[in-house]
Amino acid sequence: MSDVTTAATDQDVAPFQHLHPLSIILRSVGTLAQNLFAILVLHFSLFDQNIFYTGLAAMALVVLVVGVTALIWSRFTYQVTEREIRIRSGLLNRNSRSIPFDRIQDVSLEQKLVSRLLGLATVALETGSGGGEDGQLDALARTDAEALRDTIRDYKDGLDADAAPTEVRSTAADSPPLFAMDNRRILIAGLFNFSFVLLAILGAIAQNLDFLLPDGFFDPRNWLDALPEQETIDGFSSWARIGGAGAAILSLVAVGLVSGIVRTFVREYGFRLDKVDSGQPGFRRRRGLFTLTDMVMPIHRVQAAILQTGPVRERYGWYHLKFTSLAGDANGETDHSAAPCAMLAEIDPILEDCAIHQPSADLAFQPVDAAFWWRSAILVSLTLAAIALGAGSVLHQGFFAILLLAVPISLIHYLNWRHHQYALSDSQLFVRAGWWWRRLTIVPRRKIQTIDVSQSPLDHPLDLATLTIGIAGGSASRPVMIKAIGLQQALDLRRRLLSQNWLPALA
């Protein structure tokens, strides 16, 4: 009876609060930005470029958006008690959600650029029930957001909020980071993150605003006809034309490099990883140029470690450490970056905190069957031959050259086979995959939940199988798999993974 009375008292004392009033402006600006394209379309089509009617429509849209946003803001309230958070929302259909503190697994803070300038932050609550965040408070004052996060952590750590003064937390925040990246390190990481996102963005803008461009803008023949001294261009030698094609390719490579560097700077700027020792040990990660994210990943929720690299990166000793975790971030990802561009010596202390170890030098990795590559090479060659034969016979003989692609594709399959290996130690499973995008997955045997042995129609004649390792969390699109191993070998490996002989090794 006393517990019920205490809970009722907490709810009566703790008032329901609104989000920060500036959230009305933030949401309104975001909604108006999404409808800016509609205003442009009306201006050039329905209103026949009449600035007066366009202005009236824009003013009406602003009033409508701000009014509706303010009404939604007034109906959204939250209450923080000693044991739970209650969120009330909805205009017509009212919804009341209760989130007990002991069900909350992760609390992350996020600040977009405008929110950082205004001193606001978004609090995302995740209970591990799936589907991303289970509760979100979009715009709180930064101090209120941090206080709410500390209140939840104190409850989960079994501490009294008054017993953990602010100066203790600030001192912990000023301690040396477990791993950090300066601008030079971010630049190095960006060089390896080749991307054509910039070209995709420019193409999407041009496609959606094509009504503002002159007719025939995307027709290359119009550009050729518009070039001066067309006869001079036609008189260029074949080597000059090859040089021009090479220059165009180099331009694309330069755009890809610049795009990768920009993306990396935006995502990883100010990257800092700290160890959280109080209560449940974990890692605190902060990063972002325009959107600053601040999340804590408990160590006990880490399911596996992933080391990503490539032929060039590995040559210079650079690796990307990720953790497969039950925790989810604002983007819904479950493979969290812990060290985007680090040396093995910098990665070892981070893995040590999770009781995960890199493979020892004397650990023997087992290759998979050679059918992994030649079977795929034959299928690809047959497919390309059918396409080349059909297109070359019906359309143009030049399509017969498509068959030449079978050579590089077969080579890639061969290299992928050479790098697809696995090894088993007393407490961990190691799986290597990929040649260009090299990936070493380290799975503690205590974290393995399911092991599936499957055979495709192409596996039966060769007596091969695929072993799929199931762990909690992680990306469903990239499970841990060992492909093209003997069926009896797969069954034996499954038996060894499910055995309990490794338990004494953890003592």
Side-chain angles (χ1 to χ4, degrees):
M1 183 70 180
S2 59
D3 294 339
V4 176
T5 305
T6 303
T9 303
D10 291 340
Q11 295 175 9
D12 292 339
V13 172
F16 275 91
Q17 307 174 60
H18 291 282
L19 300 176
H20 199 283
L22 288 176
S23 64
I24 301 175
I25 300 177
L26 290 177
R27 283 180 170 268
S28 299
V29 170
T31 305
L32 290 172
Q34 295 175 1
N35 289 275
L36 179 61
F37 180 72
I39 295 296
L40 291 175
V41 172
L42 291 176
H43 176 71
F44 287 98
S45 58
L46 184 61
F47 298 147
D48 197 21
Q49 302 187 24
N50 189 307
I51 193 66
F52 177 74
Y53 291 132
T54 303
L56 288 179
M59 291 174 55
L61 179 63
V62 170
V63 172
L64 177 63
V65 169
V66 174
V68 172
T69 304
L71 185 59
I72 294 175
W73 173 86
S74 67
R75 301 290 286 171
F76 187 100
T77 57
Y78 70 97
Q79 179 192 49
V80 181
T81 69
E82 293 182 356
R83 296 176 176 83
E84 68 177 4
I85 296 178
R86 287 191 169 188
I87 300 175
R88 293 179 179 176
S89 60
L91 293 179
L92 300 178
N93 297 325
R94 297 292 291 166
N95 179 48
S96 180
R97 172 180 294 180
S98 296
I99 307 177
F101 287 165
D102 54 5
R103 297 290 187 269
I104 297 176
Q105 300 292 338
D106 295 289
V107 183
S108 60
L109 303 185
E110 180 180 289
Q111 285 184 294
K112 297 186 183 299
L113 179 60
V114 179
S115 299
R116 293 171 68 179
L117 296 176
L118 298 177
L120 304 178
T122 296
V123 181
L125 310 172
E126 196 243 326
T127 64
S129 59
E133 295 91 5
D134 301 289
Q136 183 166 298
L137 303 177
D138 280 334
L140 299 179
R142 173 75 187 191
T143 54
D144 294 340
E146 292 177 344
L148 175 59
R149 179 186 61 188
D150 294 337
T151 298
I152 297 173
R153 290 180 182 173
D154 289 342
Y155 178 87
K156 295 181 69 64
D157 295 343
L159 302 175
D160 186 359
D162 296 332
T166 305
E167 53 265 26
V168 174
R169 293 193 182 95
S170 62
T171 302
D174 294 336
S175 60
L178 191 59
F179 177 78
M181 294 175 60
D182 55 15
N183 291 339
R184 175 182 173 275
R185 185 71 65 90
I186 297 175
L187 176 62
I188 294 174
L191 291 174
F192 296 120
N193 290 331
F194 189 87
S195 173
F196 281 126
V197 170
L198 180 60
L199 286 179
I201 293 175
L202 294 177
I205 293 175
Q207 183 177 6
N208 287 280
L209 299 180
D210 57 352
F211 59 90
L212 298 177
L213 301 175
D215 295 336
F217 183 82
F218 294 103
D219 189 347
R221 291 171 296 183
N222 293 335
W223 288 97
L224 291 175
D225 295 338
L227 288 174
E229 301 181 4
Q230 182 68 35
E231 296 80 5
T232 304
I233 297 177
D234 292 337
F236 284 164
S237 65
S238 59
W239 287 108
R241 296 183 181 182
I242 293 175
I249 294 175
L250 290 177
S251 299
L252 289 177
V253 172
V255 171
L257 288 174
V258 172
S259 180
I261 293 173
V262 171
R263 286 185 63 208
T264 305
F265 260 98
V266 170
R267 183 179 63 248
E268 309 293 356
Y269 181 80
F271 188 98
R272 178 186 174 112
L273 185 74
D274 294 283
K275 177 74 179 299
V276 178
D277 293 317
S278 61
Q280 295 180 345
F283 300 110
R284 180 186 181 186
R285 188 193 68 192
R286 285 166 285 181
R287 65 175 181 177
L289 179 61
F290 300 124
T291 300
L292 174 64
T293 58
D294 186 343
M295 67 164 292
V296 173
M297 178 175 52
I299 289 179
H300 75 275
R301 306 198 77 193
V302 173
Q303 305 298 306
I306 301 171
L307 280 174
Q308 293 180 338
T309 186
V312 180
R313 280 185 292 176
E314 189 175 28
R315 171 67 177 80
Y316 291 97
W318 297 113
Y319 295 84
H320 185 173
L321 173 63
K322 290 185 176 182
F323 284 127
T324 297
S325 172
L326 291 172
D329 61 10
N331 297 322
E333 296 180 351
T334 52
D335 291 344
H336 300 292
S337 292
C341 188
M343 298 286 187
L344 291 179
E346 298 171 317
I347 291 175
D348 282 334
I350 305 175
L351 292 177
E352 191 69 29
D353 288 329
C354 301
I356 297 177
H357 309 283
Q358 294 191 49
S360 59
D362 58 349
L363 183 64
F365 275 81
Q366 303 296 323
V368 299
D369 195 275
F372 178 91
W373 79 272
W374 62 255
R375 186 172 54 186
S376 300
I378 291 176
L379 290 176
V380 170
S381 299
L382 292 176
T383 303
L384 291 176
I387 296 175
L389 182 61
S393 302
V394 176
L395 300 177
H396 190 276
Q397 294 182 353
F399 284 100
F400 285 115
I402 294 178
L403 189 58
L404 297 177
L405 294 175
V407 176
I409 293 177
S410 299
L411 178 61
I412 292 175
H413 282 293
Y414 174 78
L415 294 174
N416 287 336
W417 165 67
R418 292 293 302 269
H419 288 81
H420 188 34
Q421 304 171 338
Y422 68 95
L424 185 64
S425 67
D426 292 337
S427 60
Q428 297 180 149
L429 172 67
F430 304 88
V431 180
R432 288 174 175 166
W435 168 73
W436 186 254
W437 288 284
R438 301 181 182 182
R439 183 182 179 97
L440 171 63
T441 304
I442 308 175
V443 184
R445 294 173 65 174
R446 66 184 183 275
K447 298 291 187 178
I448 295 176
Q449 293 191 344
T450 61
I451 303 176
D452 297 331
V453 177
S454 60
Q455 286 185 294
S456 68
L458 296 178
D459 289 330
H460 285 288
L462 302 175
D463 200 27
L464 299 178
T466 296
L467 196 73
T468 304
I469 312 299
I471 57 177
S475 174
S477 61
R478 301 193 68 175
V480 182
M481 303 176 69
I482 304 175
K483 301 179 180 180
I485 60 176
L487 177 60
Q488 189 57 44
Q489 187 179 4
L491 295 175
D492 181 65
L493 182 57
R494 180 176 66 177
R495 179 187 56 78
R496 294 171 59 193
L497 288 172
L498 293 176
S499 68
Q500 300 300 313
N501 296 334
W502 57 273
L503 286 174
L506 297 178

PDB file of all heavy atoms in Angstrom, residues 370-386:
ATOM      1  N   ALA A 370      36.804 -24.081 -52.646  1.00  0.00           N
ATOM      2  CA  ALA A 370      37.043 -23.278 -53.857  1.00  0.00           C
ATOM      3  C   ALA A 370      35.796 -23.095 -54.698  1.00  0.00           C
ATOM      4  O   ALA A 370      35.742 -22.196 -55.553  1.00  0.00           O
ATOM      5  CB  ALA A 370      38.144 -23.915 -54.700  1.00  0.00           C
ATOM      6  N   ALA A 371      34.773 -23.921 -54.462  1.00  0.00           N
ATOM      7  CA  ALA A 371      33.510 -23.735 -55.181  1.00  0.00           C
ATOM      8  C   ALA A 371      32.890 -22.378 -54.889  1.00  0.00           C
ATOM      9  O   ALA A 371      32.028 -21.911 -55.638  1.00  0.00           O
ATOM     10  CB  ALA A 371      32.531 -24.854 -54.823  1.00  0.00           C
ATOM     11  N   PHE A 372      33.323 -21.755 -53.795  1.00  0.00           N
ATOM     12  CA  PHE A 372      32.836 -20.414 -53.459  1.00  0.00           C
ATOM     13  C   PHE A 372      33.023 -19.448 -54.625  1.00  0.00           C
ATOM     14  O   PHE A 372      32.166 -18.596 -54.879  1.00  0.00           O
ATOM     15  CB  PHE A 372      33.586 -19.903 -52.216  1.00  0.00           C
ATOM     16  CG  PHE A 372      33.210 -18.506 -51.794  1.00  0.00           C
ATOM     17  CD1 PHE A 372      32.190 -18.282 -50.890  1.00  0.00           C
ATOM     18  CD2 PHE A 372      33.895 -17.408 -52.296  1.00  0.00           C
ATOM     19  CE1 PHE A 372      31.854 -17.004 -50.495  1.00  0.00           C
ATOM     20  CE2 PHE A 372      33.569 -16.123 -51.916  1.00  0.00           C
ATOM     21  CZ  PHE A 372      32.538 -15.918 -51.007  1.00  0.00           C
ATOM     22  N   TRP A 373      34.161 -19.588 -55.351  1.00  0.00           N
ATOM     23  CA  TRP A 373      34.411 -18.615 -56.414  1.00  0.00           C
ATOM     24  C   TRP A 373      34.097 -19.177 -57.804  1.00  0.00           C
ATOM     25  O   TRP A 373      33.498 -18.495 -58.626  1.00  0.00           O
ATOM     26  CB  TRP A 373      35.862 -18.109 -56.352  1.00  0.00           C
ATOM     27  CG  TRP A 373      36.883 -19.021 -56.932  1.00  0.00           C
ATOM     28  CD1 TRP A 373      37.551 -20.012 -56.312  1.00  0.00           C
ATOM     29  CD2 TRP A 373      37.348 -19.012 -58.287  1.00  0.00           C
ATOM     30  NE1 TRP A 373      38.411 -20.641 -57.164  1.00  0.00           N
ATOM     31  CE2 TRP A 373      38.309 -20.044 -58.395  1.00  0.00           C
ATOM     32  CE3 TRP A 373      37.036 -18.249 -59.418  1.00  0.00           C
ATOM     33  CZ2 TRP A 373      38.962 -20.315 -59.587  1.00  0.00           C
ATOM     34  CZ3 TRP A 373      37.681 -18.520 -60.604  1.00  0.00           C
ATOM     35  CH2 TRP A 373      38.646 -19.541 -60.684  1.00  0.00           C
ATOM     36  N   TRP A 374      34.518 -20.424 -58.100  1.00  0.00           N
ATOM     37  CA  TRP A 374      34.345 -20.885 -59.479  1.00  0.00           C
ATOM     38  C   TRP A 374      32.884 -21.141 -59.810  1.00  0.00           C
ATOM     39  O   TRP A 374      32.464 -21.012 -60.962  1.00  0.00           O
ATOM     40  CB  TRP A 374      35.214 -22.086 -59.776  1.00  0.00           C
ATOM     41  CG  TRP A 374      34.979 -23.354 -58.984  1.00  0.00           C
ATOM     42  CD1 TRP A 374      35.755 -23.828 -57.978  1.00  0.00           C
ATOM     43  CD2 TRP A 374      33.942 -24.306 -59.173  1.00  0.00           C
ATOM     44  NE1 TRP A 374      35.263 -25.017 -57.505  1.00  0.00           N
ATOM     45  CE2 TRP A 374      34.139 -25.346 -58.237  1.00  0.00           C
ATOM     46  CE3 TRP A 374      32.841 -24.397 -60.040  1.00  0.00           C
ATOM     47  CZ2 TRP A 374      33.297 -26.435 -58.123  1.00  0.00           C
ATOM     48  CZ3 TRP A 374      32.006 -25.487 -59.941  1.00  0.00           C
ATOM     49  CH2 TRP A 374      32.225 -26.495 -58.994  1.00  0.00           C
ATOM     50  N   ARG A 375      32.078 -21.512 -58.811  1.00  0.00           N
ATOM     51  CA  ARG A 375      30.662 -21.712 -59.077  1.00  0.00           C
ATOM     52  C   ARG A 375      29.989 -20.387 -59.445  1.00  0.00           C
ATOM     53  O   ARG A 375      29.216 -20.301 -60.405  1.00  0.00           O
ATOM     54  CB  ARG A 375      30.004 -22.332 -57.849  1.00  0.00           C
ATOM     55  CG  ARG A 375      28.569 -22.729 -58.037  1.00  0.00           C
ATOM     56  CD  ARG A 375      28.092 -23.509 -56.810  1.00  0.00           C
ATOM     57  NE  ARG A 375      28.319 -22.770 -55.578  1.00  0.00           N
ATOM     58  CZ  ARG A 375      28.086 -23.284 -54.368  1.00  0.00           C
ATOM     59  NH1 ARG A 375      27.650 -24.516 -54.231  1.00  0.00           N
ATOM     60  NH2 ARG A 375      28.302 -22.564 -53.292  1.00  0.00           N
ATOM     61  N   SER A 376      30.317 -19.324 -58.693  1.00  0.00           N
ATOM     62  CA  SER A 376      29.765 -17.999 -59.008  1.00  0.00           C
ATOM     63  C   SER A 376      30.311 -17.476 -60.330  1.00  0.00           C
ATOM     64  O   SER A 376      29.584 -16.829 -61.101  1.00  0.00           O
ATOM     65  CB  SER A 376      30.098 -17.019 -57.881  1.00  0.00           C
ATOM     66  OG  SER A 376      29.549 -17.446 -56.651  1.00  0.00           O
ATOM     67  N   ALA A 377      31.588 -17.744 -60.596  1.00  0.00           N
ATOM     68  CA  ALA A 377      32.184 -17.274 -61.855  1.00  0.00           C
ATOM     69  C   ALA A 377      31.496 -17.911 -63.050  1.00  0.00           C
ATOM     70  O   ALA A 377      31.253 -17.249 -64.083  1.00  0.00           O
ATOM     71  CB  ALA A 377      33.679 -17.567 -61.868  1.00  0.00           C
ATOM     72  N   ILE A 378      31.173 -19.206 -62.978  1.00  0.00           N
ATOM     73  CA  ILE A 378      30.496 -19.881 -64.084  1.00  0.00           C
ATOM     74  C   ILE A 378      29.101 -19.307 -64.295  1.00  0.00           C
ATOM     75  O   ILE A 378      28.676 -19.042 -65.437  1.00  0.00           O
ATOM     76  CB  ILE A 378      30.436 -21.389 -63.810  1.00  0.00           C
ATOM     77  CG1 ILE A 378      31.838 -21.997 -63.895  1.00  0.00           C
ATOM     78  CG2 ILE A 378      29.501 -22.085 -64.797  1.00  0.00           C
ATOM     79  CD1 ILE A 378      31.883 -23.468 -63.543  1.00  0.00           C
ATOM     80  N   LEU A 379      28.358 -19.072 -63.209  1.00  0.00           N
ATOM     81  CA  LEU A 379      27.009 -18.520 -63.325  1.00  0.00           C
ATOM     82  C   LEU A 379      27.033 -17.127 -63.941  1.00  0.00           C
ATOM     83  O   LEU A 379      26.222 -16.807 -64.818  1.00  0.00           O
ATOM     84  CB  LEU A 379      26.348 -18.488 -61.948  1.00  0.00           C
ATOM     85  CG  LEU A 379      25.980 -19.845 -61.334  1.00  0.00           C
ATOM     86  CD1 LEU A 379      25.415 -19.655 -59.926  1.00  0.00           C
ATOM     87  CD2 LEU A 379      24.973 -20.573 -62.213  1.00  0.00           C
ATOM     88  N   VAL A 380      27.981 -16.309 -63.505  1.00  0.00           N
ATOM     89  CA  VAL A 380      28.079 -14.951 -64.048  1.00  0.00           C
ATOM     90  C   VAL A 380      28.463 -14.992 -65.520  1.00  0.00           C
ATOM     91  O   VAL A 380      27.919 -14.241 -66.351  1.00  0.00           O
ATOM     92  CB  VAL A 380      29.089 -14.127 -63.231  1.00  0.00           C
ATOM     93  CG1 VAL A 380      29.393 -12.804 -63.927  1.00  0.00           C
ATOM     94  CG2 VAL A 380      28.567 -13.867 -61.833  1.00  0.00           C
ATOM     95  N   SER A 381      29.396 -15.866 -65.876  1.00  0.00           N
ATOM     96  CA  SER A 381      29.828 -15.960 -67.268  1.00  0.00           C
ATOM     97  C   SER A 381      28.690 -16.410 -68.171  1.00  0.00           C
ATOM     98  O   SER A 381      28.506 -15.871 -69.278  1.00  0.00           O
ATOM     99  CB  SER A 381      31.004 -16.940 -67.385  1.00  0.00           C
ATOM    100  OG  SER A 381      32.108 -16.490 -66.617  1.00  0.00           O
ATOM    101  N   LEU A 382      27.909 -17.387 -67.719  1.00  0.00           N
ATOM    102  CA  LEU A 382      26.774 -17.839 -68.513  1.00  0.00           C
ATOM    103  C   LEU A 382      25.728 -16.741 -68.670  1.00  0.00           C
ATOM    104  O   LEU A 382      25.150 -16.555 -69.758  1.00  0.00           O
ATOM    105  CB  LEU A 382      26.144 -19.074 -67.870  1.00  0.00           C
ATOM    106  CG  LEU A 382      26.999 -20.362 -67.903  1.00  0.00           C
ATOM    107  CD1 LEU A 382      26.293 -21.473 -67.145  1.00  0.00           C
ATOM    108  CD2 LEU A 382      27.291 -20.780 -69.327  1.00  0.00           C
ATOM    109  N   THR A 383      25.481 -16.001 -67.615  1.00  0.00           N
ATOM    110  CA  THR A 383      24.510 -14.902 -67.687  1.00  0.00           C
ATOM    111  C   THR A 383      24.976 -13.821 -68.655  1.00  0.00           C
ATOM    112  O   THR A 383      24.206 -13.331 -69.497  1.00  0.00           O
ATOM    113  CB  THR A 383      24.287 -14.299 -66.285  1.00  0.00           C
ATOM    114  OG1 THR A 383      23.847 -15.329 -65.397  1.00  0.00           O
ATOM    115  CG2 THR A 383      23.254 -13.194 -66.329  1.00  0.00           C
ATOM    116  N   LEU A 384      26.262 -13.424 -68.549  1.00  0.00           N
ATOM    117  CA  LEU A 384      26.791 -12.398 -69.448  1.00  0.00           C
ATOM    118  C   LEU A 384      26.799 -12.885 -70.896  1.00  0.00           C
ATOM    119  O   LEU A 384      26.550 -12.111 -71.826  1.00  0.00           O
ATOM    120  CB  LEU A 384      28.198 -12.007 -69.012  1.00  0.00           C
ATOM    121  CG  LEU A 384      28.312 -11.245 -67.685  1.00  0.00           C
ATOM    122  CD1 LEU A 384      29.772 -11.002 -67.335  1.00  0.00           C
ATOM    123  CD2 LEU A 384      27.574  -9.904 -67.770  1.00  0.00           C
ATOM    124  N   ALA A 385      27.081 -14.169 -71.091  1.00  0.00           N
ATOM    125  CA  ALA A 385      27.084 -14.713 -72.459  1.00  0.00           C
ATOM    126  C   ALA A 385      25.693 -14.652 -73.070  1.00  0.00           C
ATOM    127  O   ALA A 385      25.530 -14.318 -74.260  1.00  0.00           O
ATOM    128  CB  ALA A 385      27.603 -16.147 -72.445  1.00  0.00           C
ATOM    129  N   ALA A 386      24.664 -14.970 -72.280  1.00  0.00           N
ATOM    130  CA  ALA A 386      23.298 -14.907 -72.785  1.00  0.00           C
ATOM    131  C   ALA A 386      22.908 -13.471 -73.132  1.00  0.00           C
ATOM    132  O   ALA A 386      22.280 -13.215 -74.175  1.00  0.00           O
ATOM    133  CB  ALA A 386      22.341 -15.485 -71.746  1.00  0.00           C
TER     134      ALA A 386
END
